[in-house]
Amino acid sequence: MSDLPATRRKLRLRGIQSRLIVYFVGSFALVMAAVELVEYFGVPGTSFRGQLSQDEQEATATLVLIADLKEDRLQWWLAERQRDLTLLTNDQAHVVAVRDLMQDVDRLREQHVAGETPWSEVRKLPSYRSLQARVHEIKCNYGEYEHILVVDAYSGDVVVADDDASLGANWRRSPCFSGALKTDREFIGDVRSRAGRDDPLMCFSRLVRTPEKAPLCVWIVEVNLDEMVRPMLHTGRGLGERGEALLVDQDGRLLTSLKHRLADGRPARPLEYKITAEPARRAAAGERGTVEARDYRGEWVLAAYRHISITPEFGWGLVVKRDLSELYAPQRWTVVQTSTICLAGILAVTGLVVLVARNVTRPLRALHGAAQELAQDNLTARAPVESNDEVGELADAFNRMVARLAEQQAALRRQERLAALGQLTATVSHELRNPLGTLRTALYIVAQRLRGQDTSLDTVLDRMERSIVRCDAIVSELLEYNRLRPLDVQPTELDAWLAETLDELPQRPAVTLHRDLRAAATLAIDRERLRRCLVNLVSNAGDAMPRGGELTVSAHRDDGHVLIDIADTGCGILPADLPKIFEPLFSTKSFGVGLGLCIVKQIVEQHGGRVSVESQMGTGTTFHVELPLSPPGEQHHE
Amino acid sequence: MSKLRIFVVDDDRDFADTLADLLRLEGHDADTAYSGEDALAQLGTQQYDLTLLDVRLPGRNGVESFLEMRRLNPNAQVYLMTAFSVEGLVDRALASGARGVLAKPLDLHNLLSMINCLQA
């Protein structure tokens, strides 16, 4: 197992996982943010405005609608007042009644001290009483007016009013009176406050002429704007909790009382307080439109302002406004809601993505772990193959690579061992050769001297001779194995050569040799080395049949190859040993180095062929040597 | 059968001496040298019918020594002995006039019959 601490391993492995998570969640969050942005702010450069802009437009449109409605209403109200006045003044009965009254008043004045009008006496006049009752009735019926007065066109005195107390008051200096004298139409007087009162009063007046066209009287009606107009401004809930509509005159003076107090906490008084805030200023100045600005409190509002021109001299400014904070509160709430949902969505997505990323990267992490183990020289490391996709294939490829690596390493180690061994044996063999040679020669000399002289020594000498020969054979075998000379090939008629070679080989007792040489082929072979092969194989066969048996050497041709089989009827080879017999240093014999078959394999493979074995315990063994008819790229010597 | 004067040159003293003994047993005269330089020195003073020369010698190797011998005596009969098969070197020697190459360990019967041929 890897000896990295587990925590560090996990942290490092999270690399690909956390990247996945971050990318996915990041992309998702980005997309959601973009969608939200686009939804609220629209796409610049296109006609898609976005929710915020739409809300603004809607709010403005609504406000404009309300402003227009109120403007209409006010205009209509003004018109109505003028109509009222017209009705009052056109009524002939009134004209007659007023004339009668004024005649009576004149008579009384004449009777009295010059210039002085005995108003208390006027009160007792029946003409006065009936007219006064009438005027009072009118006021009650109309309900709009603070006062209804009839003023003598010449003196300016009030000859009859809805209330008794006003009788005799002089209105000569009032613009309402003087203005009416100048025109035959309704006169609308500017709002002012009357002495002793601070209500915003507006007067309408009209001159009445006698049938003879002489000025008779001026009817004056007074309206308390705050009481009569203001309620009109505040109908419905279209302006919300804090929104309001207000009226100012052409100088910006407040005409109706305000809903809120001023910034410093004072209440503002109509006719006293002049609004300097932008919407009111614009309305007073005669403009018409909508604006986002601060109002008289200093709060930001969306205001629609209008100017109602009453006379060429004066007019009203109408401001219909809503607090921006109130106006856009629902919108902000929606944004918060949406953002919260988005956030919740992102969290949910994060959770899901974590799960998915984990699942997807798990096989990769497992592979990573296996790779790390491999890096620690653990060749048993394998990656789990969990899926049928590229990762699974990767893990599979990894496993196969590691397996192959392990095999190759084992093979390499084996080879290295063998190479070292080979080096050793080569050196040793060479070193052994000379003393062996010397031994041989020396023995020869001794044998020459002693042979015949002492027969008891003959066997001893033979034994020595045989032993030396055996030593030499072993050394030869070792050297042969190590020698990898290039082949010295000559074209050889195979059947003939096989027969010749078999003839030369020493026959074992009780071993019957059968031949079946039907190759009918001429091959380029290294005769010396193949002879060596044949010698080894036949020798082995003989060794397998110590008490005799049958040895069959056959050769035949097959599809581009020549097959030479050497079959014996010996004891057979253990199935467990079969795969190992061609390996060097493997031998079941009590003597010999175990290189014989290895050399055979080497030589056959050098010829581009193959050697294989079949064996049945107790029945026998067959070696198959396959040689190609045209060996690849070997040199030819003539 | 005449007696031959045979010169054995090999750095393995036991080998050289034993071979010389064998040759003497067969009735010939045999001398030994253990290095190329010694051999050439001896050849300065002696004439031999046959020289058995090991290829692997200390200092001057066998083939170089042989070439020098040939220079001294173009008619020298020299066989090279070798445990290796150093093909290039040996081919050179053969091309330059060595009688043959004997593989070690020596096949004694072969050697003796070859010597008999020389005698004839």
Side-chain angles (χ1 to χ4, degrees), chain A residues 474-586:
Chain A
I474 292 170
V475 168
S476 292
E477 210 170 285
L478 282 172
L479 287 174
E480 179 69 36
Y481 173 67
N482 274 307
R483 216 182 332 189
L484 218 73
R485 287 170 305 175
L487 293 180
D488 179 17
V489 292
Q490 301 161 47
T492 312
E493 211 291 303
L494 198 67
D495 296 328
W497 176 80
L498 278 171
E500 195 184 312
T501 310
L502 284 172
D503 287 337
E504 288 171 8
L505 290 181
Q507 291 280 26
R508 298 274 182 113
V511 172
T512 322
L513 177 62
H514 301 284
R515 307 170 190 213
D516 180 20
L517 307 172
R518 290 184 277 120
T522 302
L523 290 182
I525 57 168
D526 183 329
R527 296 182 191 174
E528 180 56 44
R529 309 203 81 201
L530 266 185
R531 184 177 174 281
R532 176 100 203 174
C533 282
L534 206 57
V535 164
N536 284 1
L537 288 171
V538 169
S539 174
N540 278 5
D543 291 338
M545 301 182 287
R547 279 183 284 278
E550 304 198 352
L551 173 64
T552 312
V553 177
S554 54
H556 58 277
R557 191 171 167 170
D558 171 44
D559 185 34
H561 292 98
V562 164
L563 295 168
I564 305 169
D565 296 335
I566 294 101
D568 67 55
T569 56
C571 48
I573 304 172
L574 282 170
D577 291 340
L578 270 178
K580 292 194 266 182
I581 56 170
F582 291 107
E583 280 180 28
L585 310 177
F586 178 83

Side-chain angles (χ1 to χ4, degrees), chain A residues 54-209:
Chain A
Q54 237 178 300
D55 287 350
E56 255 179 58
Q57 282 182 347
E58 267 179 43
T60 309
T62 311
L63 204 65
V64 163
L65 186 67
I66 294 171
D68 287 344
L69 282 172
K70 298 222 184 286
E71 186 189 359
D72 279 350
R73 192 98 162 60
L74 286 170
Q75 297 277 27
W76 179 85
W77 181 87
L78 283 167
E80 220 187 30
R81 299 291 73 72
Q82 289 172 298
R83 264 202 304 279
D84 285 351
L85 201 54
T86 309
L87 270 174
L88 283 174
T89 50
N90 280 353
D91 192 342
Q92 287 305 311
H94 292 164
V95 175
V96 168
V98 169
R99 195 165 62 171
D100 289 345
L101 175 60
M102 283 179 64
Q103 278 170 354
D104 289 344
V105 170
D106 281 343
R107 241 197 320 275
L108 271 180
R109 196 188 300 115
E110 279 163 16
Q111 286 172 7
H112 226 254
V113 178
E116 285 268 325
T117 313
W119 294 108
S120 50
E121 307 248 334
V122 171
R123 277 195 188 90
K124 296 181 195 147
L125 290 169
S127 54
Y128 173 81
R129 275 218 159 88
S130 64
L131 192 52
Q132 202 273 339
R134 179 91 184 99
V135 170
H136 184 80
E137 194 190 333
I138 289 168
K139 178 191 165 182
C140 291
N141 283 344
Y142 278 90
E144 294 278 332
Y145 303 105
E146 281 277 301
H147 288 299
I148 303 182
L149 311 155
V150 181
V151 176
D152 186 331
Y154 288 103
S155 63
D157 293 327
V158 175
V159 294
V160 68
D162 61 280
D163 71 324
D164 234 357
S166 302
L167 181 67
N170 193 285
W171 276 65
R172 211 188 353 232
R173 275 195 290 280
S174 160
C176 235
F177 171 76
S178 49
L181 292 176
K182 294 185 195 140
T183 170
D184 271 317
R185 302 185 50 196
E186 301 88 3
F187 175 82
I188 305 173
D190 197 359
V191 179
R192 56 174 183 75
S193 55
R194 251 210 288 162
R197 304 185 50 185
D198 46 19
D199 307 320
L201 296 171
M202 191 173 185
C203 70
F204 300 79
S205 53
R206 192 158 183 222
L207 176 64
V208 180
R209 290 183 186 270

Side-chain angles (χ1 to χ4, degrees), chain A residues 483-489 526 528-529 635 637, chain B residues 55 63 80 82-96 101:
Chain A
R483 216 182 332 189
L484 218 73
R485 287 170 305 175
L487 293 180
D488 179 17
V489 292
D526 183 329
E528 180 56 44
R529 309 203 81 201
Q635 291 179 325
H637 298 287
Chain B
V55 167
V63 178
L80 295 174
T82 175
F84 298 87
S85 57
V86 186
E87 301 236 353
L89 219 50
V90 165
D91 286 343
R92 254 175 72 199
L94 288 174
S96 316
V101 175

